[in-house]
Amino acid sequence: MTATLPTATPAAPERAAGLGLLRLALRSRRLALGLGVLAVFALTAVIGPWLAGDPDAVSVDLGQAPSGAHWLGTTQTGQDVFAQLVVSARGTLVIGAAAAVIATVVSVVIGIGGGFLGGVADETLSLISNVFLVIPGLPLVIVVAAYVKGDGVLSTVLVIALTSWAASARVLRAQTLSLRGRDYVLAARVYGEKRWRIVLVEILPNELAIIVSQFIHAVIFAVLTQAGLAFLGLADPAYLTWGTMLYFAQNAEALTGGAWWWFVPPGLCIALLGAALSLVSFGLDEVLDPRLRTRRPRKGAR
Amino acid sequence: MRYVLRKLGFYAVAAWMAVTVNFFLPRLIPGDPVQLMMARMSQSGPVEPGQEEALAAMLGLSHGNLLTQYGDYLSSVVHLDFGLSVTYFPSPVTDVLHDALPWTLVLVGAATLISFVLGLTLGTLAGWRRGSWLDSLVPSTTFLAAVPYFWLALLLLYLFGQVWGVLPLGGGYDETLDIGLNGDFLSSALEHAVLPAATIVLSSVGGWMLGMRNMMVSTLAEDYVTAAEAKGLRPRTVMVGYAARNAVLPSVAGFAISLGFIVSGSLVMEIVFSYPGMGFTLLQAVENTDYPLMQAVFLVITFAVLAANFLVDLVYGFVDPRTRQAR
């Protein structure tokens, strides 16, 4: 974008369109709010661990309620809950993003591949995705995690990704089927363009909005699944996430001990992160599909 | 009829794939799971002869090549011969499942139904009155949908059980009572089910509501809705009979994805409430490395979800005649 700025007149309409899109994006309150919350979490994940101090450091303040010294109180062994919460942001986001990236890549390959190839390949791939869709993910993940236990973060990420690609593969397949017959794709075929080029240049860019939205939902799903797994003690407890915090809180009977400051914040963070991601996704939908916008009288509307 | 057969065929394939995945899973276990289980069982009490073969067949690890192992495994699944549970030794796995399944089935079934109906009703109203106070609630449902089930369960348990002490802290019923169809037991079971059911409804209602609301908005822009309004039909008739009736289809079609998600969430939630259902049993199995029980729980949950989805697909074929005609 910046490179085109100096060329004076011809770029002007394009710039105006770009600005208009940005203004539209910011006009969607949901998108702005979601992006804002997301930015806070991302920043925490990047720089938080350096600022928060050692989350495992024990002190003599055992199981204390929130105070000036410990903003969110301490655990049974005197660890600072706030420090743990900040450090866990990184672990949670890393697992969520990694699993979502893998799931999205798999769904793009299977969904677009199947939809574009058609025939037996499509029938098979679509059957596999439909089966993965109806088989409940978490019981499978729990059983697998229980079998391969103690295998660190990578196995958690893979197991989550394995069970979460199917829904988005189905959406992408449907969209590819509809794009495949469009005139410009047919034109590209007539030109004799290579298949991979048609997929990468003609089809993939047109599905970017869907892929982004599916990716966002994959992150939410991964964060929730990881939290569930960790809560059951099926994730590496040395790798601190909001889920592992809840696992330790549950094991130390924080609930019956009344230590709400220990188990409320991690869940609240998960929910806030998920809500922010959903808001971004819905905000994008709103920007792209005007019919979904809430009718709000605006001053100076054209 | 062809629609029903096609659906039946699909779910048969899905069930077969689940069974087959379950056949290969025990190979992930390091060491010899059969010997491990036998050793653990013989510590708890005398093990009848023949149990080792049954266990090996169930885990797909009997003697012979892969094909005979698969055959032995399939035969034990078909005969519901899941062997003995290590955790609840010497009860057979089937007895453990028999005790646990009704709890989850009734709780998750009823709560899902309540949440579905409630969500669709609220979504219809929100879409119909776009911009009203109900519609402005919609964004907040994204927060509820992102709440982990088990954390919401912890929170409800803490508030209602611990702080205010109005509802029981866990379990499925007052254990001093006998299980049976009598008033005392039923009211106790109901009382224990309030918080778990509330957890499911609160976490899942937002998704239904949002989907329905957006479909309502799309449907209301259709010509036949405008035509119905122009005819001067009562708004209620237009809303329910013309708009909602068509807008509800994707929600029914998408039931499969949601149900898997709700069941998954409920499993972890049960653990918080020590609710004596499948999730709690699964955790017991995991904590005691009870492989036969784990295998069986996975299969039963999967089959229950597949069956529920099959039923919903049948209903969908009934509600939307187009699906019956297609191909």
Side-chain angles (χ1 to χ4, degrees):
Chain A
M1 242 3 242
T2 43
T4 60
L5 278 180
T7 51
T9 34
E14 198 185 316
R15 254 181 72 202
L19 276 179
L21 212 63
L22 186 73
R23 206 176 297 140
L24 198 64
L26 287 181
R27 196 189 278 162
S28 162
R29 276 189 303 189
R30 297 179 186 183
L31 189 58
L33 185 67
L35 286 175
V37 176
L38 213 55
V40 173
F41 276 122
L43 201 66
T44 312
V46 174
I47 61 169
W50 290 315
L51 302 180
D54 183 11
D56 297 327
V58 291
S59 65
V60 285
D61 307 329
L62 304 183
Q64 289 201 343
S67 65
H70 301 286
W71 290 358
L72 286 174
T74 59
T75 69
Q76 228 99 349
T77 50
Q79 295 155 325
D80 188 68
V81 174
F82 184 71
Q84 290 201 337
L85 197 70
V86 168
V87 174
S88 299
R90 180 181 286 182
T92 308
L93 284 182
V94 164
I95 290 188
V101 166
I102 298 176
T104 308
V105 169
V106 172
S107 71
V108 165
V109 170
I110 291 193
I112 299 188
F116 185 74
L117 290 174
V120 184
D122 181 35
E123 296 274 322
T124 318
L125 290 178
S126 125
L127 180 70
I128 295 177
S129 7
N130 282 337
V131 167
F132 263 89
L133 207 56
V134 287
I135 293 180
L138 196 71
L140 183 61
V141 174
I142 290 176
V143 172
V144 173
Y147 284 171
V148 297
K149 84 180 71 169
D151 262 11
V153 183
L154 189 67
S155 72
T156 309
V157 168
L158 286 178
V159 155
I160 296 173
L162 179 80
T163 48
S164 61
W165 55 270
S168 99
R170 193 157 84 158
V171 176
L172 289 174
R173 171 182 175 264
Q175 186 65 18
T176 309
L177 283 181
S178 121
L179 286 178
R180 201 175 56 162
R182 302 273 167 95
D183 289 342
Y184 65 90
V185 177
L186 294 178
R189 280 195 167 166
V190 172
Y191 274 150
E193 275 191 37
K194 296 212 166 54
R195 277 175 155 190
W196 61 266
R197 207 185 129 77
I198 298 181
V199 170
L200 287 184
V201 177
E202 315 285 351
I203 293 188
L204 199 64
N206 282 303
E207 299 192 11
L208 217 54
I210 304 181
I211 295 175
V212 168
S213 135
Q214 297 293 340
F215 172 77
I216 291 174
H217 287 288
V219 177
I220 302 176
F221 180 85
V223 167
L224 283 176
T225 311
Q226 195 277 334
L229 275 183
F231 181 68
L232 297 179
L234 290 172
D236 184 0
Y239 191 78
L240 211 54
T241 62
W242 292 325
T244 20
M245 284 181 72
L246 288 167
Y247 167 70
F248 286 125
Q250 172 81 349
N251 273 12
E253 296 185 347
L255 186 96
T256 34
W260 55 266
W261 57 87
W262 192 357
F263 69 84
V264 169
L268 212 56
C269 283
I270 294 174
L272 268 178
L273 175 67
L277 285 164
S278 309
L279 284 178
V280 170
S281 162
F282 296 138
L284 286 177
D285 283 350
E286 250 180 10
V287 169
L288 299 174
D289 183 359
R291 283 192 303 182
L292 289 176
R293 257 174 251 162
T294 315
R295 252 183 254 151
R296 211 178 297 131
R298 287 187 206 94
K299 274 175 238 164
R302 271 155 288 172
Chain B
M1 200 56 212
R2 271 193 69 187
Y3 170 78
V4 175
L5 283 179
R6 224 177 61 227
K7 282 293 163 195
L8 204 60
F10 167 71
Y11 283 107
V13 172
W16 171 75
M17 275 175 76
V19 167
T20 306
V21 165
N22 203 31
F23 167 70
F24 284 107
L25 282 182
R27 283 152 216 275
L28 295 172
I29 306 169
D32 183 350
V34 179
Q35 288 311 318
L36 194 71
M37 291 295 101
M38 291 311 292
R40 296 261 314 278
M41 281 191 215
S42 47
Q43 278 168 10
S44 328
V47 184
E48 282 173 46
Q51 273 308 320
E52 186 168 348
E53 282 74 31
L55 181 69
M58 162 67 199
L59 291 175
L61 296 170
S62 57
H63 297 291
N65 60 18
L66 200 63
L67 219 59
T68 41
Q69 285 180 335
Y70 191 54
D72 288 347
Y73 162 79
L74 282 187
S75 126
S76 54
V77 169
V78 169
H79 294 105
L80 296 178
D81 182 7
F82 296 117
L84 302 182
S85 161
V86 180
T87 319
Y88 301 91
F89 190 83
S91 310
V93 167
T94 32
D95 286 4
V96 178
L97 294 180
H98 186 264
D99 290 343
L101 189 60
W103 292 100
T104 302
L105 225 47
V106 173
L107 174 71
V108 176
T112 305
L113 205 64
I114 295 174
S115 158
F116 188 64
V117 172
L118 193 69
L120 292 190
T121 313
L122 291 176
T124 305
L125 291 172
W128 182 250
R129 300 231 173 92
R130 213 150 37 123
S132 68
W133 65 268
L134 191 63
D135 196 24
S136 59
L137 274 184
V138 169
S140 64
T141 61
T142 60
F143 179 79
L144 276 181
V147 168
Y149 278 46
F150 66 89
W151 179 74
L152 187 63
L154 282 172
L155 205 63
L156 290 177
L157 193 59
Y158 177 69
L159 290 178
F160 289 91
Q162 191 85 18
V163 178
W164 299 320
V166 282
L167 286 164
L169 270 170
Y173 58 100
D174 185 352
E175 293 190 5
T176 56
L177 300 169
D178 291 327
I179 297 186
L181 278 178
N182 53 64
D184 282 349
F185 169 72
L186 286 181
S187 67
S188 154
L190 198 66
E191 198 185 35
H192 283 76
V194 169
L195 285 182
T199 306
I200 298 178
V201 171
L202 276 176
S203 315
S204 58
V205 75
W208 300 119
M209 182 174 168
L210 186 81
M212 188 65 187
R213 182 257 177 200
N214 285 351
M215 269 320 286
M216 272 300 276
V217 171
S218 302
T219 313
L220 284 175
E222 297 282 348
D223 289 341
Y224 55 79
V225 175
T226 319
E229 273 171 348
K231 274 196 285 187
L233 294 176
R234 281 189 307 154
R236 216 186 122 88
T237 317
V238 178
M239 178 175 84
V240 178
Y242 285 71
R245 223 170 127 180
N246 287 293
V248 78
L249 292 175
S251 294
V252 180
F255 192 79
I257 311 164
S258 317
L259 187 66
F261 197 70
I262 294 173
V263 168
S264 299
S266 312
L267 291 179
V268 190
M269 174 211 72
E270 275 185 8
I271 291 154
V272 174
F273 289 110
S274 313
Y275 202 77
M278 298 301 279
F280 190 64
T281 310
L282 185 57
L283 183 76
Q284 297 298 318
V286 168
E287 282 184 341
N288 295 294
T289 45
D290 187 346
Y291 297 133
L293 190 56
M294 258 190 259
Q295 295 275 85
V297 168
F298 168 69
L299 277 185
V300 169
I301 294 171
T302 308
F303 273 68
V305 169
L306 291 182
N309 277 318
F310 179 59
L311 281 179
V312 172
D313 275 351
L314 291 188
V315 172
Y316 188 71
F318 180 71
V319 180
D320 185 356
R322 285 171 302 184
T323 45
R324 267 174 288 164
Q325 284 160 1
R327 264 191 295 161

